[in-house]
Amino acid sequence: MKLIEDSHAFDEMQKTLMGALIESVRGELESENLSPDIARSLVEKISFSLAVILDGSRDSTFNGSEVVPFLTFQNDDEDLISSGGGSWMHEYAFGLIKQIYEGKVPQ
């Protein structure tokens, strides 16, 4: 296993992760029979909040300990793909949510 810096591959992978997080949150909230507007608002808030924590853009302190996440992804060759720095998937949250709710998810 080696660490490969590839910002393009990393970007596609972080979009996939962000989409999976959104779909998971959406599925859980829809199972609670909330009004569609409230459910979508909560999907937006929860998904964005998770993304900024994973990106290291928000404080990650709990019980007096702080951590700084550094996201990497494993490719088909079992190598780790890095951006060479931090992640920015929170920037995709609202756009992906809009696409998901409109049924226009890019393939």
Side-chain angles (χ1 to χ4, degrees):
M1 180 180 293
K2 59 186 172 186
L3 182 63
I4 299 170
E5 186 176 323
D6 183 339
S7 61
H8 177 72
F10 179 89
D11 192 41
E12 292 303 313
M13 292 172 169
Q14 75 175 346
K15 284 182 201 174
T16 299
L17 178 59
M18 188 73 245
L21 286 170
I22 292 164
E23 286 285 8
S24 179
V25 170
R26 179 182 181 191
E28 293 298 325
L29 291 174
E30 285 181 352
S31 72
E32 295 299 318
N33 297 319
L34 301 170
S35 79
D37 289 341
I38 290 173
R40 180 169 177 165
S41 176
L42 289 171
V43 167
E44 290 171 347
K45 290 175 183 179
I46 294 168
S47 298
F48 185 79
S49 180
L50 289 171
V52 295
I53 290 170
L54 290 171
D55 285 342
S57 299
R58 182 174 290 164
D59 179 52
S60 297
T61 302
F62 177 73
N63 201 26
S65 296
E66 181 181 9
V67 297
V68 179
F70 188 83
L71 195 59
T72 60
F73 296 97
Q74 184 174 326
N75 67 10
D76 293 337
D77 297 327
E78 298 188 6
D79 294 323
L80 296 178
I81 305 300
S82 167
S83 68
S87 55
W88 55 92
M89 73 177 159
H90 69 278
E91 294 181 17
Y92 295 117
F94 293 104
L96 284 172
I97 290 167
K98 183 175 188 231
Q99 291 174 341
I100 288 167
Y101 273 87
E102 292 176 355
K104 300 177 182 175
V105 180
Q107 300 298 321

